[in-house]
């Protein structure tokens, strides 16, 4: 039996090695990851698959998609694989027939809610949005509804869904919640909230004491708290929304085998440990969270339907503009 187990292990290792050697050629990646994260991701992948040369382009998701749209119109899309911010954008590409399913991808360990059921795109991490507050604030919020209390009047900062993808997903998740809905955003407007810009500006306003409470992506206050910043991040009792930085293979991929290997790497435990080492909450429930985060099973994700969000995107943004005068 011992000999059989050893033989099985050697066979598995040989198969993995052969697979790695078989995947060769150039892989073109378009990504919205920060430069340092993108380079680390590419370096880790090519260490596992040395026969692949990765050519990558990095920009914000909006600009990446504008570039890709122009390439679609010219009939010459360049990337094999996309690694961008959100599932709504991926859902749009899926509905247009722009994505290639990777049916052999192993997602058995993952929450089905964050993976496309047709295996057209795959979440690689959880960048959640909840409540941030300055530790000098008089109230310690535990619920979104706490931001409607008198203590938060004129002390709120929020990123705008008109400029931030994470804020758009957060708006969709909260307004779809029957206990909150659009009445909640109307309440925030009554509290003097003036959503603008992205998450970085919100973080600075609250950390600096200009404002005391607001919505922000988790890693900004969690990372800075460890360094001594006077901030706290709250995973509210209703749950958090999440940008999941999905990866997908284009239907026009020139090197689909390498693209599939890239997807497999990102959703493997090694790929998820890489995400954690970069300070992000891994999507894989079995990979420990970075310092400052609660365990994955203690984090409640709010319901979110990418297809529904895509369908009502423009109407939601118009409603938001009506409420806040944006």
């Amino acid at each position: 039996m011992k000999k059989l187990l050893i033989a099985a292990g050697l066979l598995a290792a040989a198969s993995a090695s052969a697979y790695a050697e078989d995947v060769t050629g150039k892989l073109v990646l378009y990504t919205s990851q920060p430069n340092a994260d993108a380079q680390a991701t590419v370096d880790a992948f090519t260490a596992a698959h040395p026969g692949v040369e990765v050519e990558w382009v990095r920009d914000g998701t909006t600009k990446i998609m504008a570039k890709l749209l122009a390439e679609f119109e010219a009939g010459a899309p360049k990337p094999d694989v996309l690694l961008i911010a959100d599932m709504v954008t991926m859902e749009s590409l899926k509905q247009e027939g722009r994505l290639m399913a990777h049916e052999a991808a192993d997602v058995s360990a993952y929450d089905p809610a964050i993976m496309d059921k047709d295996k057209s795109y795959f979440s690689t991490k959880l960048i959640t949005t909840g409540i941030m507050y300055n530790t000098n604030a008089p109230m310690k919020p535990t619920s979104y509804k706490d931001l409607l209390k008198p203590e938060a009047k004129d002390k709120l900062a929020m990123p705008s869904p008109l400029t931030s993808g994470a804020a758009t997903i957060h708006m969709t998740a909260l307004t779809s919640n029957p206990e909150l809905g659009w009445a909640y955003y109307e309440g925030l407007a009554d509290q003097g909230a003036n959503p603008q810009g992205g998450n970085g500006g919100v973080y600075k306003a609250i950390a600096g004491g200009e404002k005391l409470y607001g919505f922000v992506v988790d890693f900004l206050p969690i990372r800075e708290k460890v360094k001594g910043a006077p901030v706290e991040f709250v995973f509210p009792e209703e749950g958090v929304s999440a940008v999941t930085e999905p990866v997908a293979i284009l239907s026009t991929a020139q090197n689909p085998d390498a693209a599939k290997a890239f997807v497999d790497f990102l959703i493997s435990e090694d790929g998820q440990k890489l995400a954690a080492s970069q300070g992000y909450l891994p999507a894989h429930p079995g990979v420990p969270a970075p310092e400052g985060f609660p365990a994955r099973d203690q984090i409640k994700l709010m319901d979110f339907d990418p297809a529904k969000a895509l369908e009502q995107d423009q109407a939601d943004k118009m409603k938001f503009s009506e409420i806040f005068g944006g």
Side-chain angles (χ1 to χ4, degrees), residues 88-121:
V88 177
T89 302
M90 288 299 197
E91 182 65 28
S92 175
L93 290 170
K94 176 188 173 182
Q95 292 186 17
E96 293 171 4
R98 300 289 189 181
L99 302 182
M100 178 188 299
H102 179 14
E103 296 177 1
D106 182 7
V107 296
S108 58
Y110 288 85
D111 180 350
I114 64 170
M115 293 292 183
D116 176 53
K117 61 181 178 62
D118 299 316
K119 295 189 175 182
S120 296
Y121 53 85

Side-chain angles (χ1 to χ4, degrees), residues 220-243:
L220 290 175
I222 287 176
R223 287 178 183 176
E224 296 307 312
K225 176 190 173 183
V226 173
K227 300 174 186 177
V231 296
E232 288 283 356
F233 183 80
V234 176
F235 292 84
E237 60 191 39
E238 297 92 345
V240 288
S241 65
V243 171

Side-chain angles (χ1 to χ4, degrees), residues 68-303:
L68 186 57
L69 179 60
E71 292 175 3
F72 285 150
E73 291 177 346
K78 295 178 182 178
D80 296 289
V81 66
L82 292 178
L83 178 58
I84 56 175
D86 66 280
M87 291 193 291
V88 177
T89 302
M90 288 299 197
E91 182 65 28
S92 175
L93 290 170
K94 176 188 173 182
Q95 292 186 17
E96 293 171 4
R98 300 289 189 181
L99 302 182
M100 178 188 299
H102 179 14
E103 296 177 1
D106 182 7
V107 296
S108 58
Y110 288 85
D111 180 350
I114 64 170
M115 293 292 183
D116 176 53
K117 61 181 178 62
D118 299 316
K119 295 189 175 182
S120 296
Y121 53 85
F122 306 85
S123 295
T124 66
K125 55 180 64 76
L126 299 176
I127 303 174
T128 73
T129 293
I131 297 173
M132 171 186 172
Y133 68 92
N134 187 294
T135 53
N136 293 313
M139 174 184 63
K140 313 302 181 189
T142 59
S143 165
Y144 290 113
K145 295 176 183 178
D146 288 339
L147 300 188
L148 302 182
K149 292 180 177 179
E151 296 94 321
K153 178 75 173 177
D154 297 322
K155 297 296 182 182
L156 296 172
M158 297 166 53
S160 172
L162 305 181
T163 55
S164 166
T168 301
I169 288 174
H170 195 59
M171 173 186 68
T172 302
L174 264 61
T175 56
S176 298
N177 185 307
E179 295 184 5
L180 298 170
W182 282 108
Y184 179 68
Y185 271 72
E186 290 166 352
L188 293 173
D190 292 339
Q191 286 283 78
N194 180 26
Q196 54 184 309
N199 286 273
V202 170
Y203 173 81
K204 289 178 182 178
I206 299 173
E210 178 187 345
K211 300 293 183 180
L212 296 179
Y213 310 95
F215 301 147
V216 77
V217 290
D218 55 22
F219 65 88
L220 290 175
I222 287 176
R223 287 178 183 176
E224 296 307 312
K225 176 190 173 183
V226 173
K227 300 174 186 177
V231 296
E232 288 283 356
F233 183 80
V234 176
F235 292 84
E237 60 191 39
E238 297 92 345
V240 288
S241 65
V243 171
T244 64
E245 201 165 273
V247 63
I249 304 167
L250 261 67
S251 59
T252 49
Q254 297 297 302
N255 193 345
D257 289 340
K260 290 176 181 178
F262 186 77
V263 171
D264 290 342
F265 171 74
L266 290 183
I267 62 175
S268 71
E269 288 201 25
D270 284 343
Q272 291 294 288
K273 288 175 182 176
L274 174 65
S277 74
Q278 294 169 339
Y280 300 106
L281 186 65
H284 192 300
V287 175
E291 181 182 2
F293 286 85
R296 173 68 183 85
D297 60 6
Q298 295 178 24
I299 297 172
K300 177 183 177 182
L301 294 180
M302 301 183 80
D303 291 339

